[in-house]
Amino acid sequence: KHLHVISDFRSSNWLDQPAIVKGVKDLDKAGIAVNLVKTVNERHQNIGITSVSGDIHMAAAGVPLQLTIRVKNFDEQAPAENVRVAIFADGKKLPLNVVFKEIKPGVEVEKTEIIEGFETAGAHSIELKLEPDALEADNSRFLAVDVKQISRVLVIDGDPVGDDSFFVSMTMAAYENSGMGPLVENIDYLGRRPLDEFKCIFLLNVPQLPADAIQPLREYLLGGGGLAWFVGETVNPAYYNDTLYPEDEDGHRFFPVPLGASRSELIRDDFTLPGPDLALKPPYHPIFDKLISGQVNSYLGAVNIYEYLPVHEDWERSDNKRKDGVTTSLSLRNGDPLMFEHRFGAGRVITFLTTAGPIWNNWAKNGSYPPIILDLVKYIARRDSDLRQRNVGEVIQLSYSAADYLPEVDITPAGGTEMRLTATRQPGKAAAGSDEAQLKATFRDTGLPGIYKIKQIHQVTGEENVYLAYNVTADESSLALAASNEIGKRLGPDVNVTIQEAGNREWIEGEEAGQEVRQALLFFLLIALLLEQFLAYLFSYHPKTAGATA
């Protein structure tokens, strides 16, 4: 028995792969000869789109989208010049090419571009495409974009007569291209209404959380929602320390630090601590990117923090020593921390120990305030759209309510035609007469990059479309080849393996296996045909000629 493996034999696939070594050795022990046939004799130049990122989780109808495109030259010797990336939205080419004048060997570069947004809400697709080269699969990269009519943000103001919510909500609403729709409510809203519709939640100057708000907020954060805390005069430090700071049974905290008993004042004329009130130190937090880049950096030095809530004096201030997952992102000139980030399940939480309005500071009246608030929303906003960006080969598994949807699901794979799946019903718990059974469907044929379209029918609202974007992983773009001696070294000297170099056909131009049997069969077939002709002549009728009769 012989096993022929035909491949380009890349280094990433064939070197340092214990599973391949074990598989070949098992075949050898079973008496199967392995023949490795190389199809490529030299490494080809390749350029690939390695990633596309942006604010697609904030995509709203009619709002421009910002995309950051990363392209790498996988050749180790020659530079790539005038590399052009075309952009397609819903299959239509946009009048925009992203051009990289030169990409040095082995170097990855990036560019950020703003493209026109989609005019309608719903499922949309973006494709970025390079000119053809040695590897087609990494010349395109796809994005599935779920465009909302507006990105809703919940703003909770704990002080009924406070101005904090006014400054936060007006900042979001004033910028037409932000696509943000703030809703200002009081603290009781958290326990009364669903929170999943909101991209993120701002809690401003909240004294304490109502008991019925704890669990909904916890589930919202665990599911990927974002939360921004701003303190103020009504905050009860004892409640925060006793209820919000302690870890729950899963190790999650609503509030990142224990608070001091009362607010502190940052002295104005303290000549021992010169410089701006906000002490930014690298690595800078992403929400300060526009400030650090210099666009509005001049405003930052004019921010004055008059008062703030200090951390408890017993709290360890070194992030490296604490190792509790809380990162200090911004401090004051006196060294006291002012801003923190930590995770709550899949959710991001950003905390400021000063007010969101110009009460304990002049920040809301400073030019740095709008870009920070807008970028804060984008940073903490839930990223449901990230689940729609996948690697080729990942199985599509659908699960949805049997009470709400029909069991038929239509899937259109990348480059294919629409096909129908019928979901199977999985029993669920029934409560108060409602059917909680689930419909489940699985689709495994996701080997090609592109957009996979899923169509479901909701029994009330009708047709719903979901797009999934499948791309090859970046390591597929490396075309470095594994040398034959390296492959042999990995497999070991005792394994019966032959390696055929690219272009070598001698191993298939020799005498083929089974040729003697075929020759014998042909010989017997010839004898049979001759015998058939002889018997046909012998037993056939032959009329006598006239001469013979005479």
Side-chain angles (χ1 to χ4, degrees), residues 311-505:
V311 296
H312 196 279
E313 59 184 7
D314 295 334
W315 184 72
E316 172 59 59
R317 299 192 179 198
S318 172
D319 295 348
N320 293 330
K321 292 181 180 179
R322 248 186 1 264
K323 296 181 179 180
D324 58 355
V326 176
T327 303
T328 304
S329 303
L330 180 65
S331 298
L332 297 169
R333 57 181 163 83
N334 65 358
D336 282 354
L338 188 71
M339 171 187 163
F340 306 92
E341 178 180 355
H342 74 285
R343 303 302 292 264
F344 194 111
R348 289 176 172 172
V349 183
I350 298 291
T351 303
F352 288 88
L353 298 185
T354 189
T355 57
I359 303 170
W360 290 1
N361 54 67
N362 71 342
W363 185 31
K365 297 180 178 180
N366 183 277
S368 65
Y369 187 80
I372 289 180
I373 291 296
L374 296 178
D375 284 349
L376 173 60
V377 172
K378 295 175 183 179
Y379 183 77
I380 65 175
R382 64 187 312 139
R383 284 169 160 74
D384 304 80
S385 56
D386 289 354
L387 301 176
R388 304 189 179 191
Q389 323 305 326
R390 305 185 177 190
N391 295 327
V392 291
E394 291 186 33
V395 176
I396 298 176
Q397 293 181 324
L398 303 175
S399 179
Y400 46 96
S401 170
D404 296 332
Y405 291 88
L406 297 180
E408 291 77 22
V409 180
D410 294 330
I411 296 183
T412 305
T417 56
E418 183 178 89
M419 59 185 68
R420 173 157 293 185
L421 300 179
T422 301
T424 57
R425 186 185 184 92
Q426 303 292 327
K429 298 179 181 179
S434 64
D435 187 359
E436 296 182 5
Q438 295 290 300
L439 292 170
K440 295 184 181 295
T442 300
F443 183 79
R444 301 182 182 279
D445 191 10
T446 59
L448 292 177
I451 298 294
Y452 290 69
K453 302 177 181 180
I454 301 171
K455 182 171 68 177
Q456 300 169 263
I457 305 297
H458 192 281
Q459 299 195 48
V460 175
T461 59
E463 181 178 308
E464 293 181 0
N465 293 289
V466 175
Y467 288 1
L468 300 177
Y470 277 79
N471 295 290
V472 297
T473 56
D475 57 1
E476 285 292 327
S477 300
S478 177
L479 302 186
L481 302 178
S484 298
N485 60 338
E486 288 293 329
I487 297 175
K489 187 186 300 182
R490 296 299 196 281
L491 297 177
D494 301 327
V495 181
N496 182 24
V497 173
T498 55
I499 302 177
Q500 311 297 339
E501 297 299 330
N504 177 26
R505 295 192 298 272

Side-chain angles (χ1 to χ4, degrees), residues 186-243:
N186 60 40
I187 191 64
D188 294 331
Y189 185 93
L190 293 175
R192 298 196 317 260
R193 299 288 297 275
L195 303 178
D196 286 343
E197 63 178 295
F198 298 103
K199 288 289 186 178
C200 62
I201 299 174
F202 278 62
L203 296 181
L204 314 178
N205 198 11
V206 172
Q208 61 185 51
L209 294 178
D212 61 354
I214 296 291
Q215 188 58 28
L217 190 59
R218 183 178 188 275
E219 293 177 356
Y220 173 77
L221 290 172
L222 290 174
L227 178 62
W229 288 98
F230 285 84
V231 300
E233 295 180 356
T234 69
V235 165
N236 181 354
Y239 169 80
Y240 277 61
N241 294 345
D242 295 340
T243 305

Side-chain angles (χ1 to χ4, degrees), residues 55 58 66 167-168 170-175 177-178 180 202 230 278 280 285-301 303 339 350 352 356 362-380:
D55 300 328
M58 295 294 295
Q66 178 176 292
F167 285 92
V168 170
M170 286 302 295
T171 297
M172 298 179 195
Y175 286 81
N177 287 335
S178 72
M180 301 176 190
F202 278 62
F230 285 84
L278 299 181
L280 281 172
H285 195 277
I287 69 171
F288 298 112
D289 279 349
K290 289 187 175 65
L291 304 179
I292 304 305
S293 66
Q295 296 180 25
V296 289
N297 196 28
S298 58
Y299 292 111
L300 196 60
V303 173
M339 171 187 163
I350 298 291
F352 288 88
N362 71 342
W363 185 31
K365 297 180 178 180
N366 183 277
S368 65
Y369 187 80
I372 289 180
I373 291 296
L374 296 178
D375 284 349
L376 173 60
V377 172
K378 295 175 183 179
Y379 183 77
I380 65 175

Side-chain angles (χ1 to χ4, degrees), residues 8 46 128 176 252 260 276 292 401 407 434 495:
D8 54 2
N46 182 46
L128 294 98
E176 183 179 351
H252 300 127
I292 304 305
S401 170
S434 64
V495 181

